[in-house]
Amino acid sequence: MIASGVAWTVHIATAGSTTVSFACFRREDRDPWMLGDAVAALLAAGAERTDRPHAAGSGRGIPILHTQRLRLQRCDIELHAVHCASGDDELTLTLPPWDELCNDLDTEDALWEACDLVAEQCSVRAGCIGDGEAFSLGDVRSMLRRHAGLLLQEAEAREVPATVAALHRVLPRSGLRLILR
């Protein structure tokens, strides 16, 4: 667990939802389903299923779309994985707007712990935090203009100018750096 000792140290302005989107190294058809690994880790951390999993694909290999709804503490989470034909796979955690999120989770640490578990299980390259705008890897400055925060590997995090954004924390399992504007 990431222990800061303070319930909530940051406020991210999100309207309809808080979305954490990840670009993940592409899995091959013989690999385990990406979302299955993430769900198993969250269940082990105390989350509960609130619906059956939903998947769409050819019936062989990794599904093209895979969705699972969970509840962590009082927070409803929807995980959505997209297996891409080429390039990175995508995984999105959709949570309530930040103001509600602060009431649904006991501490901010619980949120970042869930993100870290997912990132660790899904071979995440990078991620973004915002209110649902599509995420694509690119120049760090342009990504920061479009998103409230980024989850970056150490090398990419070093490219972020201190005048534009700041390191909020390091997620210990995945090693991702949470950068907030």
Side-chain angles (χ1 to χ4, degrees):
M1 170 120 312
I2 306 165
S4 67
V6 178
W8 291 85
T9 61
V10 66
H11 184 274
I12 298 175
T14 57
S17 66
T18 301
T19 304
V20 183
S21 299
F22 296 108
C24 307
F25 289 102
R26 188 175 185 284
R27 293 201 176 187
E28 299 302 323
D29 279 339
R30 295 179 189 203
D31 293 338
W33 293 10
M34 177 172 54
L35 197 60
D37 292 340
V39 168
L42 290 170
L43 292 173
E48 300 172 349
R49 290 181 197 266
T50 60
D51 192 10
R52 66 179 181 79
H54 299 271
S58 68
R60 294 188 333 245
I62 297 175
I64 295 169
L65 301 172
H66 189 193
T67 303
Q68 176 71 63
R69 290 189 179 124
L70 302 171
R71 181 168 294 121
L72 180 63
Q73 297 174 8
R74 297 162 307 283
C75 181
D76 291 323
I77 300 171
E78 183 172 312
L79 289 101
H80 183 80
V82 178
H83 180 59
C84 300
S86 62
D88 294 325
D89 286 343
E90 302 166 8
L91 187 129
T92 303
L93 276 80
T94 304
L95 305 121
W98 198 269
D99 290 337
E100 293 176 29
L101 192 58
C102 294
N103 293 322
D104 295 344
L105 293 173
D106 295 336
T107 66
E108 182 184 339
D109 291 343
L111 169 64
W112 303 129
E113 173 76 9
C115 292
D116 198 19
L117 286 168
V118 169
E120 176 189 38
Q121 294 300 314
C122 297
S123 303
V124 168
R125 293 176 41 146
C128 71
I129 300 159
D131 56 8
E133 182 176 347
F135 173 61
S136 61
L137 290 172
D139 172 76
V140 170
R141 285 179 184 260
S142 67
M143 288 190 303
L144 277 168
R145 280 192 296 273
R146 295 178 42 220
H147 306 291
L150 299 176
L151 292 155
L152 301 171
Q153 301 292 338
E154 183 177 8
E156 289 82 16
R158 281 193 293 252
E159 296 177 24
V160 178
T163 56
V164 176
L167 174 68
H168 181 63
R169 63 175 66 203
V170 176
L171 305 183
R173 286 182 167 85
S174 64
L176 291 173
R177 273 68 178 154
L178 173 59
I179 309 293
L180 298 175
R181 354 183 213 127

